[in-house]
Amino acid sequence: MRSTLFIIVLLVVNSPLFSQGSANFSVITIRENAIKVGDLLAEITRQSGADFTYNSLVVDSDSVLSFKVKKATLEETLDLLSEKIHVVYTIVEGQIILNFEKKVEPPKYFTLSGFLADQSSGENLISATVSVNGTGRGVFTNEFGYYALTLEEGEYTIKSSYLGYQDTQTKVTLDQNLKKNLLLPPAAIGLPAVIVHPPLEDIQNKKQLGRLSLRSEELNNLPEFAGESGLVKGLQTLPGIKMHSDGSSFFYTRGGERDQNLVIIDDAPIFNPSHMLGFYSLVIPDFTKDIQVYKSDVPASMGDRLSAIVSIRTKDGNLKKGGFSGALNSFVNRLSLEAPLVKERSSIFLSLRRSNYEWLYKNNAENIDLYFQDFQFKWNYKVNQNNRLFFTLIQSGDVFENRAGPVSGVRWGNLASTFRWNHIFSSRLFANTTFYTGNYAYKLQIPPNYWQSQLSMFSFKTDFTYYSNTNSIANFGLEMQAYFNNPGSISFDPTVDLLPEITNNYSRKTAFYYQASHRLTDRLKLNTGARVTIWSNLGPKTYFGFDENYNVNDTINVTAGIYNSFVNADPRLSLQYSLDSTSQLKLSFGTYHQYLQLISNTISPFTAFEVWLPASPNIEPQFASQWAINYLKYFPIANMEISAAAYYKKFRNQIDYEPYSTPYLNPLLEGELRFGTAQSYGLELLVKRDFGRLNGWISYTYSRVFRETEGINDGLTYRAFQDRPHDFSLVLNYQLKKRILFTANWISQSGSTFTSPTGFYTFHEQKVPIYGERNNDRLPTYHRLDVSWQFTLNRKPDNKYQHSLVFSIYNALAHKNVFAVKFNKLLQDGYGPKIGANVLSDQQLSPSQIDLVRFFPSLTYKFKL
């Protein structure tokens, strides 16, 4: 037994290649600056006892290399050898086999792309989610419903989702670039679309911080004023957006002026979106498909405004079947028609609206005309799978006329049109080229003369979106605009030279922009971008130079061509971090310039006499920089989200006015403008529930706005008109029964600032007010409750003919909301009528408050076929 064990030990000690692992105990040292591969292999064999097996096609034994190891194991020596001569080795039964190095094929990537549309109508869906099921990889459809998702070769389950639609899952095999149009069926539920259950997607794919959205269903469900709900009333319920007053479509965003917001419909600007002195807005809810509100981190492709961009995309029209809808009311009627021209390829959408106030006054005032009207039209045509054409036309007008009076009335209106071409160059490169126009004109008629003003523009824009991969998307393009501006002129008898001549303004703007979105990690997303703008003033033009006291010191006459220009670059940067699957944080910074400004030294909501002036030698472009931080938390169980935003904005070149300035028919108007700085800051909170029997949102805003202007308020800081610290809104939808929907809208906000007299003195027996600090006073707090009940008349939700009755009450609590304060004289020691301050008297002045609407009910019949 002992002799057998001794023989086994002896064989192990004297046989280094007895097993595969025994060779690893060899110690090898080789130091050669130049050695043939064949000699190297022989040396390794000598020191380790390992034999090599190889083909001469694999190893060139005559090639020379440098090889140095010291006290290395066989495994370490072979690893270095493999690296030097580009082979792989295996040890089989004591033999080292050398073979060709295996080449690792790089992964192949292919792109899945196409359009996502409503299954029942063919309408493309904006900002819908297309993602790989079970992962965080996904994209949003763009403004035309296009998506592109680049993935490694393989099989995937693609999930598509959109609020108000059923989720769909599609299996695809990606072994080549694949074009696939996806369809989503509307959610089969009898309740209004506003309470349809949304998809519970990963929060990283579901939300885009810094941007607010409104859907046409949400606008339609808001309580109506005299038969119509509107865009501006919907915007006023969102945090950070403040209304002017009753009877006004003006709104203010994060401390900016009213002209620092831009409303665009299919990219065409709407310079005055109001009707009936602000009680209505020209945007018809039925005509809209998607409304996006940008208050911070504004895309570089959009501009140029300092406060907010409201981008509205209109419906394309049903590609599969015709439809007819409308709303009838004692005050406003509207009708909409959509129909396919060529099934699945071309369709139209048409909306008409007109007020109906004649029955209120015609019997007693037959010379009065009081009405507004809208015409909105959309046409689209699918040329082929890579090309699509769109045409949009918006026309609106208001008429206030009294043919029997010395001033017959005023007219104003908007005209905007867009011609658009979508082209897919490749699955990853999407292009949108647009020609669009915008025009706003108004006229005050004083027969046989009139005063008129006009702002017109024509633009060309080509925009590209490049889907580099799943983690990176770039957007870049070029925009060119030409402006014509008549700041106000009046026609009189040409033989009478009574009024100064106001020359027209011609301007041109060229903008280049680039923006990219990068997903750095599964949780971290970076957006970078910049917008470079070149603004040019064109002749012929006569303008004036002013000295430091704002007196004219020069008159300049220029001929055709560029006589002044500005070049500005505005960077955009944001960083978004997902704290977990249901919450995220975003920090953003951006700078903005504005080259058109509205000149008006009144805070009245009723004036239509607006003067627009371009940036020029006397008016530098307005500027703002903004820091913002956003937080969002989503609660899947409660189907609720909570968001918060804090911001700080700094403004330069903000316009104010010399006391008693005259903005109309004034060739020296630029000399009455004063320029200064402003700053605003605030906190915005939003709690929203999109679906369920009880749904809606609550918003609260705390914000402050302060200005500082040389020559105004002794150069000291003062509150801006739009400084309203507190703003609270509640929108509540409650499904009382299957066919009864109750909606309430409560708004409460601090009153606007105004300048009130601090005392009076007598001059020539006339009481003259003494004013102190600018905006030293504040109107009473604004409160308003609107309610509505919607009764669905058809018993079955799937009936072809859908109709309902909506009963609404505007200002249901009849609260007196003051929009102005006037100081009037009291005659007869306080008895008798109040008369304007132009009456010579030593009677004391007394303030009076003016409000507009208290408790206004309406009944509307709506139908859809």
Side-chain angles (χ1 to χ4, degrees), residues 65 106 155 214 469 511 703 732 807 860:
L65 52 77
E155 295 184 354
L214 277 175
N469 52 54
S703 62
L732 179 69
F807 176 67
T860 305

Side-chain angles (χ1 to χ4, degrees), residues 232-238 241-244 248 250 729 747:
V232 175
K233 289 182 175 60
L235 293 177
Q236 291 165 357
T237 66
L238 301 178
I241 300 179
K242 300 178 182 293
M243 63 181 294
H244 180 285
S248 172
F250 303 148
S729 296
I747 294 177

Side-chain angles (χ1 to χ4, degrees), residues 160-204:
S160 308
S161 56
Y162 190 65
L163 183 63
Y165 289 80
Q166 299 179 31
D167 294 359
T168 63
Q169 295 187 5
T170 307
K171 291 186 177 181
V172 298
T173 299
L174 274 185
D175 53 11
Q176 60 181 345
N177 290 335
L178 179 63
K179 290 184 178 181
K180 191 170 187 64
N181 295 331
L182 304 173
L183 299 174
L184 283 182
I189 187 168
L191 301 180
V194 71
I195 58 174
V196 171
H197 196 295
L200 296 178
E201 286 292 329
D202 183 344
I203 195 67
Q204 298 180 48

Side-chain angles (χ1 to χ4, degrees), residues 471-473 514 516-521 524-528:
N471 297 320
S472 182
I473 299 175
Y514 176 85
S517 174
H518 307 279
R519 185 180 294 275
L520 304 179
T521 68
L524 190 61
K525 184 178 180 181
L526 174 68
N527 287 331
T528 59

Side-chain angles (χ1 to χ4, degrees), residues 698-752:
I698 302 171
S699 70
Y700 169 76
T701 303
Y702 173 79
S703 62
R704 302 305 307 269
V705 193
F706 298 97
R707 305 188 67 162
E708 189 173 305
T709 308
E710 184 179 355
I712 304 294
N713 201 51
D714 296 325
L716 301 176
T717 300
Y718 58 97
R719 298 178 297 187
F721 168 75
Q722 61 271 28
D723 175 68
R724 302 174 190 180
H726 303 285
D727 188 346
F728 175 83
S729 296
L730 167 66
V731 176
L732 179 69
N733 300 289
Y734 183 64
Q735 198 75 33
L736 292 170
K737 293 184 178 181
K738 187 175 182 179
R739 295 190 294 138
I740 302 177
L741 176 67
F742 170 76
T743 301
N745 176 28
W746 169 260
I747 294 177
S748 180
Q749 65 178 16
S750 304
S752 59

Side-chain angles (χ1 to χ4, degrees), residues 545-770:
F546 299 90
D547 60 22
E548 58 184 9
N549 296 317
Y550 302 99
N551 297 314
V552 176
N553 61 8
D554 197 5
T555 300
I556 302 98
N557 295 296
V558 296
T559 57
I562 298 174
Y563 67 89
N564 179 69
S565 62
F566 299 97
V567 180
N568 293 296
D570 292 318
R572 315 283 165 87
L573 178 68
S574 69
L575 195 64
Q576 184 167 311
Y577 181 72
S578 296
L579 303 173
D580 53 43
S581 62
T582 61
S583 61
Q584 54 184 297
L585 191 68
K586 182 177 183 178
L587 177 66
S588 65
F589 171 76
T591 66
Y592 308 88
H593 281 85
Q594 180 169 326
Y595 301 89
L596 286 173
Q597 25 275 323
L598 175 64
I599 306 301
S600 177
N601 65 347
T602 176
I603 61 173
S604 169
F606 302 122
T607 178
F609 309 125
E610 298 175 347
V611 173
W612 289 85
L613 289 182
S616 66
N618 293 315
I619 305 177
E620 292 189 18
Q622 298 184 66
F623 171 83
S625 61
Q626 178 179 204
W627 287 94
I629 185 169
N630 295 73
Y631 171 77
L632 183 140
K633 175 69 175 179
Y634 188 72
F635 300 92
I637 297 178
N639 302 318
M640 182 181 298
E641 66 181 56
I642 296 177
S643 61
Y647 67 89
Y648 175 78
K649 295 183 72 173
K650 186 70 175 179
F651 300 85
R652 293 203 310 262
N653 302 326
Q654 298 302 284
I655 297 175
D656 212 324
Y657 305 91
E658 174 74 5
Y660 311 110
S661 62
T662 304
Y664 312 119
L665 295 176
N666 184 359
L668 305 180
L669 172 59
E670 293 178 345
E672 300 195 18
L673 306 182
R674 301 294 181 264
F675 302 92
T677 61
Q679 61 175 337
S680 67
Y681 54 87
L683 174 67
E684 302 167 358
L685 303 175
L686 176 66
V687 179
K688 189 174 184 181
R689 193 168 189 252
D690 281 319
F691 56 93
R693 188 175 181 182
L694 176 66
N695 64 89
W697 62 90
I698 302 171
S699 70
Y700 169 76
T701 303
Y702 173 79
S703 62
R704 302 305 307 269
V705 193
F706 298 97
R707 305 188 67 162
E708 189 173 305
T709 308
E710 184 179 355
I712 304 294
N713 201 51
D714 296 325
L716 301 176
T717 300
Y718 58 97
R719 298 178 297 187
F721 168 75
Q722 61 271 28
D723 175 68
R724 302 174 190 180
H726 303 285
D727 188 346
F728 175 83
S729 296
L730 167 66
V731 176
L732 179 69
N733 300 289
Y734 183 64
Q735 198 75 33
L736 292 170
K737 293 184 178 181
K738 187 175 182 179
R739 295 190 294 138
I740 302 177
L741 176 67
F742 170 76
T743 301
N745 176 28
W746 169 260
I747 294 177
S748 180
Q749 65 178 16
S750 304
S752 59
T753 64
F754 73 100
T755 305
S756 64
T758 57
F760 300 89
Y761 68 94
T762 302
F763 181 75
H764 290 299
E765 300 183 353
Q766 175 73 39
K767 286 289 185 180
V768 180
I770 302 173

Side-chain angles (χ1 to χ4, degrees), residues 255-449:
E257 292 287 349
R258 68 191 193 193
D259 66 326
Q260 293 171 1
N261 303 302
L262 178 63
V263 177
I264 55 177
I265 301 180
D266 288 346
D267 284 336
I270 304 298
F271 295 106
N272 187 339
S274 71
H275 278 311
M276 287 290 292
L277 299 173
F279 282 105
Y280 300 92
S281 61
L282 64 81
V283 179
I284 302 176
D286 289 348
F287 192 62
T288 64
K289 176 165 60 175
D290 181 77
I291 302 172
Q292 301 291 334
V293 184
Y294 299 88
K295 299 182 296 180
S296 63
D297 195 23
V298 179
S301 60
M302 293 186 175
D304 295 278
R305 288 295 194 272
L306 303 189
S307 294
I309 305 290
V310 181
S311 178
I312 301 170
R313 293 296 176 188
T314 61
K315 292 181 179 178
D316 300 332
N318 199 312
L319 288 167
K320 298 186 176 182
K321 61 181 181 179
F324 185 65
S325 62
L328 305 177
N329 186 278
S330 300
F331 306 101
V332 179
N333 298 318
R334 74 172 186 267
L335 299 173
S336 297
L337 171 69
E338 58 180 328
L341 299 179
V342 180
K343 201 167 185 179
E344 304 288 352
R345 294 194 65 180
S346 180
S347 64
I348 60 170
F349 196 103
L350 173 68
S351 288
L352 299 169
R353 180 173 62 177
R354 193 185 189 281
S355 62
N356 180 34
Y357 289 94
E358 285 80 359
W359 62 274
L360 291 173
Y361 61 82
K362 274 299 183 182
N363 290 337
N364 298 320
E366 60 181 13
N367 290 318
I368 291 179
D369 283 325
L370 172 64
Y371 66 89
F372 71 87
Q373 60 187 14
D374 289 294
F375 173 79
Q376 301 182 2
F377 174 80
K378 178 75 169 286
W379 167 81
N380 83 96
Y381 177 61
K382 293 182 178 179
V383 180
N384 51 44
Q385 63 179 355
N386 291 329
N387 294 279
R388 191 169 184 179
L389 303 176
F390 302 86
F391 176 72
T392 306
L393 179 64
I394 308 290
Q395 188 275 332
S396 69
D398 285 74
V399 174
F400 288 78
E401 290 186 348
N402 179 9
R403 293 184 297 274
V407 178
S408 67
V410 62
R411 293 172 177 255
W412 75 84
N414 289 273
L415 178 66
S417 64
T418 300
F419 180 77
R420 185 188 314 277
W421 170 40
N422 285 174
H423 178 65
I424 302 174
F425 285 96
S426 68
S427 57
R428 298 190 189 185
L429 185 59
F430 181 91
N432 175 54
T433 300
T434 308
F435 295 89
Y436 60 91
T437 63
N439 179 79
Y440 174 59
Y442 48 91
K443 180 185 293 185
L444 174 65
Q445 300 183 24
I446 312 170
N449 310 297

